[in-house]
Amino acid sequence: SVTPAQLNDIEVVNATVAGGGTLGLLNAGQLTQLNNVNSSVAATFDNIAASATTLGVSDTAQNTTFNYQTTTGTQTVGLNLSNVTGGTETINGIETINVTSSNSANTYAIAADAATTLSFAGAANQTVTLGAGTLKVSNFNGASATGDVNLTLTNQTGVSASTAVSVSSGSGNDTLTVSAETQSDTSVSAGGGNDIIVNTAISTADTVDGGSGVDALRTNTAQVAGLTAATAYSKIGRAHV
């Protein structure tokens, strides 16, 4: 673990971690942007100033953990990803995380114990899973994404049962797998592109809007038997059971 004694007037830190350990940023009070670049091992960044609202991870398949000094109030950060081919991006204590996928495709998990909104944007394809502690998200917003978004939900047990979990995607050919969400109803809006919505636990209280393009709903025979087309789904070109 290394904590530089002083980093005055440094707004951007680009760190490459090769030997393991933690970079402490307690003395980098002017930081606005922090990037994990081409690290060959897992990287942890501690005591990040609240002013560092732009985070980045690129050219790695390793885990990255961002720990802020304080997480009081409601906070929003942006997470820029480029050529991330694995690993978990951990950002705890932050309510809104806006992910932008750029350059080449990104495959990652996101662990965010306080997040209530996760948004996904960018032209590069992204495959997203959720870490075990990501349980409070009621809004998965991918409407701004132009690349393909492949998103798999876990059950958001930290969301009130009376609050529907909203899942949206943009103009790419997206795959939205929401079967695990049984804590509350789901509202899926797939936007443009030829999309696939997977929900093997669908009920008439859930809504699915395929949007434009040729879209498919994948579920199972038992669930289809209880559906009413007018209330459960719309703009779905194909149903697979």
Side-chain angles (χ1 to χ4, degrees):
S1 178
V2 176
T3 301
Q6 211 164 38
L7 289 174
N8 285 339
D9 297 322
I10 299 296
E11 288 78 25
V12 179
V13 169
N14 297 320
T16 300
V17 180
T22 299
L23 176 61
L25 294 164
L26 181 63
N27 302 314
Q30 289 81 44
L31 193 66
T32 61
Q33 184 173 344
L34 173 61
N35 301 307
N36 178 18
V37 181
N38 197 27
S39 291
S40 57
V41 296
T44 298
F45 302 95
D46 276 349
N47 287 309
I48 303 167
S51 57
T53 56
T54 301
L55 307 174
V57 182
S58 62
D59 302 310
T60 185
Q62 302 297 323
N63 297 337
T64 305
T65 300
F66 298 100
N67 294 322
Y68 280 84
Q69 290 180 33
T70 60
T71 55
T72 55
T74 300
Q75 295 173 278
T76 298
V77 301
L79 175 63
N80 299 321
L81 302 180
S82 175
N83 193 32
V84 172
T85 54
T88 298
E89 321 309 330
T90 299
I91 310 172
N92 288 327
I94 304 297
E95 287 75 23
T96 299
I97 301 172
N98 300 320
V99 183
T100 301
S101 178
S102 302
N103 299 318
S104 55
N106 294 285
T107 299
Y108 61 98
I110 188 159
D113 65 359
T116 57
T117 295
L118 294 177
S119 72
F120 309 97
N125 297 345
Q126 52 187 311
T127 298
V128 190
T129 54
L130 303 180
T134 308
L135 300 172
K136 299 178 181 178
V137 183
S138 59
N139 184 15
F140 296 88
N141 183 0
S144 296
T146 55
D148 301 346
V149 175
N150 186 330
L151 172 65
T152 301
L153 266 60
T154 54
N155 193 19
Q156 297 301 292
T157 55
V159 174
S160 169
S162 62
T163 299
V165 170
S166 173
V167 182
S168 61
S169 62
S171 57
N173 299 325
D174 307 307
T175 301
L176 307 174
T177 302
V178 301
S179 303
E181 179 50 45
T182 57
Q183 166 72 7
S184 60
D185 301 329
T186 59
S187 176
V188 178
S189 178
N194 301 327
D195 306 307
I196 298 170
I197 299 99
V198 181
N199 190 349
T200 57
I202 196 168
S203 72
T204 54
D206 298 322
T207 62
V208 179
D209 184 343
S212 59
V214 179
D215 306 303
L217 171 65
R218 293 182 180 173
T219 184
N220 58 39
T221 304
Q223 299 307 121
V224 167
L227 291 183
T228 333
T231 58
Y233 54 88
S234 64
K235 300 178 186 175
I236 296 296
R238 294 171 292 172
H240 299 264
V241 296

